[in-house]
């Protein structure tokens, strides 16, 4: 989880992760959203168990991409109050 916190605080760490993401199809699109900062202020994006954390799991990349695409579409239509919600595996509270 430390790297996610660093990502939010350290531009050099973010640049390294973005470079790594650009090596795959979905990753490249996600990297573009991250670099643009378009989703940065959406609740649920940068928190340690949020959407940004999910890019570390390769099998989650299509879902992360889809969520960012939907958020961008909503933003372009002027919708307010967008939030990312991540359901982690395990028992529900």
């Amino acid at each position: 989880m430390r790297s996610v916190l660093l990502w939010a605080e350290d531009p050099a760490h973010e640049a390294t992760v973005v470079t790594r993401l650009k090596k795959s199809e979905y990753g490249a699109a996600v990297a573009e959203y991250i670099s643009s900062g378009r989703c940065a202020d959406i609740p649920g994006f940068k928190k340690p168990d949020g959407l940004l954390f999910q890019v570390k799991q390769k099998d989650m990349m299509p879902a992360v991409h889809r969520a960012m695409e939907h958020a961008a579409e909503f933003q372009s239509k002027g919708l307010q109050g967008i939030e990312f919600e991540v359901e982690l595996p395990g028992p529900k509270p």
Side-chain angles (χ1 to χ4, degrees):
M1 287 208 206
R2 173 92 176 112
S3 61
V4 173
L5 296 175
L6 282 174
W7 188 335
E9 300 165 359
D10 182 2
H13 183 70
E14 180 177 325
T16 301
V17 174
V18 165
T19 299
R20 191 181 76 232
L21 286 171
K22 288 182 178 181
K23 295 178 182 178
S24 74
E25 177 186 354
Y26 288 114
V30 169
E32 183 61 36
Y33 280 115
I34 293 167
S35 296
S36 73
R38 190 168 185 179
C39 297
D41 294 330
I42 297 176
F45 182 65
K46 286 188 177 181
K47 64 183 187 174
D49 60 348
L51 189 70
L52 193 59
F53 181 74
Q54 300 302 309
V55 300
K56 292 183 162 219
Q57 300 176 49
K58 271 188 157 182
D59 60 333
M60 290 301 294
M61 192 63 64
V64 170
H65 175 257
R66 191 169 42 254
M68 294 178 111
E69 287 280 307
H70 288 307
E73 180 182 349
F74 294 150
Q75 287 175 330
S76 71
K77 293 180 179 182
L79 294 174
Q80 305 276 323
I82 300 167
E83 293 185 27
F84 290 116
E85 179 180 278
V86 176
E87 288 190 28
L88 300 173
K92 304 285 184 215

